[in-house]
Amino acid sequence: MDKRYFELENYKGPHIHIDNWEPFWADAIAWELDGSWDVMFFDFQSQEEFGLLFGTKEYYKDEVGGVFLFNAQRTRSIQKIH
């Protein structure tokens, strides 16, 4: 994915704090982007927690938005195809 996608100027709409995902502390946040929602984990309790969630997996982490998980609108579109 192009890292320019995550530039702060692209997120001009609201964001929603979805929940803390137990047993982890990480806050799940949805950021509005062009009529869809990017869902991210943000505010990890520790580096250990971050490692447990993502370990050796490939991820994109932004200092403002957090770790990108998926785009809600695009995920629904993909599910309809299958």
Side-chain angles (χ1 to χ4, degrees):
M1 180 175 280
D2 186 347
K3 289 186 180 183
R4 290 176 294 175
Y5 175 91
F6 296 103
E7 289 179 0
L8 188 57
E9 64 190 36
N10 293 331
Y11 295 98
K12 295 183 183 197
H15 69 277
I16 300 169
H17 292 258
I18 300 171
D19 202 353
N20 289 80
W21 294 73
E22 293 190 22
F24 301 103
W25 176 259
D27 189 14
I29 299 177
W31 293 86
E32 186 178 21
L33 176 67
D34 296 330
S36 64
W37 294 89
D38 282 351
V39 179
M40 302 181 176
F41 273 155
F42 183 75
D43 195 21
F44 298 90
Q45 185 175 25
S46 65
Q47 189 61 35
E48 180 183 7
E49 179 181 70
F50 181 84
L52 287 170
L53 288 168
F54 296 99
T56 58
K57 297 174 188 157
E58 187 175 329
Y59 62 88
Y60 176 79
K61 183 177 181 191
D62 180 82
E63 294 305 315
V64 176
V67 178
F68 177 78
L69 299 174
F70 61 91
N71 178 281
Q73 183 176 11
R74 289 184 183 98
T75 299
R76 276 193 307 239
S77 298
I78 292 168
Q79 289 172 349
K80 287 179 185 176
I81 293 170
H82 292 126

